[in-house]
């Protein structure tokens, strides 16, 4: 079920990108550069849950969607203007991105304002570096809701 939902999300994002037409062997952008979907992860979580990122990769490979992995710490150090030209879509997978760097929120806002698309899945940005749950998710202001209910459960 989760796999088919991911396929639907990826295809919906790809089909709604107005400036980037889908082509037979991948994606093309107006300037003709090769493009890809970016899977963002925190390397800490790959130690305990490498199968999660592997599942996302498997779906993208099966669907013929070109992709690349990127460590979230490398991502926030990257130039937004350069990256958005070849990476029109980012997937923030559940389970491997529960903690994000402090500047991640602002970086994503810049990426979105420059035309990038982001698929946020389930538990992204819900934990602090020490592993404790945050009071508010790191991306709550972007998503429009606080999807952490840890303190409200009793």
């Amino acid at each position: 079920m989760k796999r088919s939902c991911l396929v639907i999300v990826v295809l919906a994002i790809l089909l709604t990108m107005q400036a980037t037409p889908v082509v037979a062997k991948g994606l093309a952008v107006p300037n003709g550069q090769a493009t890809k979907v970016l899977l963002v992860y925190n390397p800490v979580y790959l130690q305990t849950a490498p199968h999660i990122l592997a599942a996302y990769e498997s779906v993208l490979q099966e669907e013929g969607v070109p992709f690349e992995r990127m460590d979230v710490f490398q991502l926030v150090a990257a130039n937004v203007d350069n990256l958005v030209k070849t990476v029109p879509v980012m997937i923030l997978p559940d389970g491997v991105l529960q903690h994000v760097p402090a500047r991640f929120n602002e970086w994503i806002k810049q990426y979105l304002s420059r035309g990038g698309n982001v698929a946020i899945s389930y538990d992204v940005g819900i934990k602090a570096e020490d592993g404790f749950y945050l009071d508010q998710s790191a991306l709550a202001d972007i998503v429009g809701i606080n999807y952490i209910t840890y303190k409200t459960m009793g």
Side-chain angles (χ1 to χ4, degrees), residues 112-145:
L112 291 168
S113 73
R114 287 164 174 79
N117 298 279
V118 179
I120 300 170
S121 183
Y122 186 53
D123 62 0
V124 174
I126 64 168
K127 292 185 178 180
E129 189 173 4
D130 60 9
F132 288 101
Y133 286 92
L134 299 169
D135 291 333
Q136 180 170 312
S137 64
L139 302 176
D141 62 327
I142 294 171
V143 175
I145 60 168

Side-chain angles (χ1 to χ4, degrees), residues 36-43 46 53 57 67-80 82-84 86-87 89-93 96-97 100-101 104 107 111:
K36 60 194 145 287
V37 170
L38 194 62
L39 284 172
V40 182
Y41 66 94
N42 185 326
L46 289 187
L53 197 56
E57 291 174 340
F67 70 92
E68 186 176 309
R69 293 176 161 201
M70 185 176 274
D71 174 325
V72 68
F73 299 99
Q74 292 174 342
L75 179 70
V76 295
N79 181 289
V80 175
N82 292 339
L83 195 64
V84 79
T86 59
V87 180
V89 179
M90 267 190 241
I91 299 174
L92 310 180
V96 294
L97 205 53
V100 295
F104 184 68
W107 195 97
Y111 177 79

Side-chain angles (χ1 to χ4, degrees), residues 14-26:
L14 292 174
L15 293 174
T16 59
M17 295 182 326
Q18 297 173 2
T20 308
V22 177
V23 295
K25 292 271 185 191

